[in-house]
Amino acid sequence: MRILITNDDGIFAPGIRLLAEKAVKYGEVIAVAPEREQSAKSQAITIRRGLKFKELDEIVAGVKTYALDSTPADCVRFAKYYLKDDFDIVFSGINNGYNLGEDILYSGTVGAASEGVLAKGKAIAFSCTYNNFSEIEKWFDKIMDFILENKLLDKGDLFNVNVPLNAKGIKTHQGETNFETNFALEGSLVWQRGKPNFDKDVSGTSDVNAIYNNYISISPLTVNRTDLTIYELIK
């Protein structure tokens, strides 16, 4: 299996190094990631200027490594269309902090994974507790065993994985973060502030509810935004 790894925290973030260390067990690995943090870029790409890139020392032995001065999605596109790398799957992350509920629409981590699917590959986005990679390091191979043994990559193209501390098992699907958004004037600038309320998601099986109750979430996603239920009613 040919694996492209990327992230939105930047090529020097600890999460991508850990991901590279874990990924080499599953195939040939190449790394292309933003040269600096690109959080909340979703699936944005850069089309009004040229892109600078540089090849770096390998972040893990045997993993050719590039930094790109653009978004996570562009890193995937750069690998596919400039480097001509015929990857089978994108591993995106490991993000420093969760990507749950509606946040996946803003996430550069999930955006890069989604771009991998548009490039005709499979993709998994990995995220974990803020500033603590110990649990996902412990669970990574078990998560991959679950995905491979259940043939999830044959059934779907895109999966979003979140790992809490003290994980007890695995649950699935996107939920609601119930985020309290607050625009606050600080000096002459308006900042977007707020906080999520994971406890308000009572669905029982969502990613938000899973993390709140110390379960790993593996959510199947799609890049096709068609509401098929409504489509069947109106076609």
Side-chain angles (χ1 to χ4, degrees):
M1 182 162 60
R2 181 74 174 170
I3 303 168
L4 168 65
I5 63 170
T6 190
N7 71 353
D8 70 358
D9 289 327
I11 192 64
F12 299 109
I16 196 169
R17 181 179 294 276
L18 175 58
L19 184 59
E21 291 171 352
K22 293 295 185 181
V24 293
K25 175 180 176 180
Y26 300 95
E28 265 189 294
V29 181
I30 182 173
V32 182
E35 67 176 6
R36 64 181 66 87
E37 184 185 356
Q38 294 282 317
S39 296
K41 294 294 186 181
S42 188
Q43 207 169 334
I45 60 174
T46 303
I47 59 172
R48 301 300 183 199
R49 65 170 177 84
L51 307 180
K52 297 177 183 178
F53 74 95
K54 50 191 170 186
E55 187 171 355
L56 305 177
D57 292 338
E58 298 173 344
I59 56 174
V60 168
V63 176
K64 189 168 281 192
T65 303
Y66 296 86
L68 187 72
D69 72 331
S70 193
T71 64
D74 264 340
C75 290
V76 176
R77 294 168 64 82
F78 173 84
K80 178 74 173 182
Y81 301 112
Y82 181 76
L83 297 179
K84 307 296 185 184
D85 192 88
D86 194 21
F87 54 81
D88 300 299
I89 191 167
V90 171
F91 284 2
S92 185
I94 297 169
N95 194 67
N96 187 17
Y98 300 130
N99 282 302
L100 301 169
E102 302 92 341
D103 291 348
I104 66 174
L105 299 173
Y106 307 108
S107 167
T109 306
V110 178
S114 299
E115 193 65 39
V117 175
L118 293 186
K120 308 305 180 186
K122 305 286 184 174
I124 308 172
F126 297 93
S127 303
C128 67
T129 312
Y130 184 65
N131 278 348
N132 193 324
F133 295 90
S134 61
E135 197 78 0
I136 194 166
E137 183 174 11
K138 180 174 73 176
W139 276 86
F140 190 91
D141 288 337
K142 296 176 185 176
I143 291 167
M144 288 303 300
D145 287 346
F146 179 88
I147 289 171
L148 296 174
E149 288 172 7
N150 288 284
K151 302 187 184 301
L152 296 190
L153 295 173
D154 293 335
K155 299 169 184 175
D157 296 326
L158 175 61
F159 293 87
N160 185 38
V161 175
N162 285 271
V163 180
L165 292 178
N166 304 312
K168 298 185 289 187
I170 295 172
K171 292 188 178 183
T172 62
H173 92 72
Q174 180 189 341
E176 298 178 5
T177 56
N178 291 285
F179 197 87
E180 292 180 18
T181 300
N182 176 35
F183 275 60
L185 181 63
E186 299 177 14
S188 61
L189 301 176
V190 175
W191 293 81
Q192 297 194 50
R193 306 296 192 194
K195 62 172 183 149
N197 294 292
F198 291 174
D199 59 308
K200 292 185 178 180
D201 188 315
V202 295
S203 62
T205 57
S206 76
D207 55 358
V208 174
N209 186 273
I211 294 300
Y212 183 69
N213 289 286
N214 296 103
Y215 282 87
I216 293 167
S217 171
I218 302 179
S219 299
L221 305 180
T222 176
V223 295
N224 184 338
R225 297 193 179 187
T226 304
D227 187 325
L228 295 176
T229 301
I230 301 301
Y231 174 71
E232 289 299 320
L233 296 176
I234 65 175
K235 69 176 182 179

